Structure formats: C-alpha cells, structure tokens
Amino acid sequence: MKNMLEPTAENVLAGNNLYNSTAKPIPCIICHGIKSDGIGLIFQRIKPYPRNFTCYQTMKDISDGQLFWIIRNGSHGTQMLGFTKLDDKQIWQLILYIRSATD
Ligand code: HEC
C-alpha cells in the first residue's frame, strides 16, 4: 500500500489536527505525545508503551501499509485502538503527519 496523498502543507496540517484534537474517540496526542515521541499524558500507565514516531530506527522498517492497518484496526493486546470512524484520506493524512515527526 502506498500513500495516495502528497505531503503538502494542507495534508500534513489536517493530520496534525486529527492527531492533536479531532480523532475520535481519543486523539493520538494523549498516548503518543505532543512531540510524537511516545511520551503522552498517560504513557506511564500503558504497557507496552506507545510507539515513538520520532525514532528513525523504529520507523524506517514500518511500511505505510502497516501504519494504515494499525490505525484502522488497532494493535491487538495493546492499548492501541482501531480508529474505525476515520476515512482513508484522514488516515493517510495522519501518516504524513507521523512521518513528518521522524528524525
Ligand atoms: C490509548 C492510547 C493510544 C491512543 C489514543 C493512540 N495510540 Fe497508537 N499506539 C498505542 C500503543 C500502546 C502502541 C504500541 C502498540 C505495540 O507496541 O504494538 C501504539 C502503536 C501505534 C502504531 C503502530 C506502529 C507500528 O509499530 O506498527 C501506530 C501507527 C499508531 N499507534 C498510530 C496512532 C494514531 C495515528 C493515533 C490517533 C489516531 C493513535 N495511535 C492513538 C497507544 C495509543
């Protein structure tokens, strides 16, 4: 799977809005943190810890298709929930935003 969107300012900004406030039921920032480094408000209570999207070593081996699948379906046995209400475009915008945070 490849991202159908270009990393334009508009798309990255839309991903930013979803990440920080509008994604339902819980915006990503609560767990993944303000800097996308996995240090969200409640990270200490979550095992395994939320992913650190700023870590190049972690992110370089994760394909767009895998990111897409996890955001839509969640990661079984962890606190990463499936965001079933987001449409495809919104998920790709989130992925652009997440990738923009990688060092
Ligand atoms: C309730 C806490 C929580 C929320 C809210 C949350 N996540 Fe996660 N997320 C996690 C945890 C914990 C993991 C680690 C799961 C694992 O180790 O397999 C994770 C993993 C992921 C991964 C997996 C990366 C990989 O290794 O394949 C992606 C992508 C992701 N989150 C994106 C998001 C996005 C985008 C949002 C918002 C739409 C979001 N998450 C909201 C807790 C959360």
Side-chain angles (χ1 to χ4, degrees):
M1 256 175 131
K2 282 210 62 119
N3 202 327
M4 61 189 237
L5 302 177
E6 295 295 322
T8 59
E10 193 190 358
N11 282 325
V12 175
L13 197 60
N16 181 328
N17 282 334
L18 287 161
Y19 183 98
N20 288 299
S21 62
T22 54
K24 293 202 171 43
I26 312 174
C28 327
I29 188 174
I30 299 293
C31 296
H32 290 280
I34 197 160
K35 292 192 284 189
S36 305
D37 54 4
I39 316 286
L41 284 175
I42 59 170
F43 89 97
Q44 284 169 313
R45 287 192 271 128
I46 300 176
K47 291 274 160 52
Y49 290 144
R51 269 290 180 273
N52 176 358
F53 301 129
T54 67
C55 177
Y56 174 74
Q57 287 306 324
T58 304
M59 296 305 290
K60 73 177 174 34
D61 296 325
I62 305 178
S63 67
D64 279 353
Q66 180 178 334
L67 294 175
F68 188 98
W69 198 92
I70 301 263
I71 295 168
R72 171 144 296 159
N73 300 296
S75 178
H76 192 70
T78 79
Q79 302 244 1
M80 179 59 195
L81 53 151
F83 286 80
T84 52
K85 293 198 179 75
L86 298 176
D87 61 30
D88 288 11
K89 186 175 178 190
Q90 290 174 312
I91 293 182
W92 288 126
Q93 287 169 333
L94 274 165
I95 292 171
L96 289 176
Y97 176 70
I98 287 170
R99 291 231 187 262
S100 78
T102 304
D103 288 335

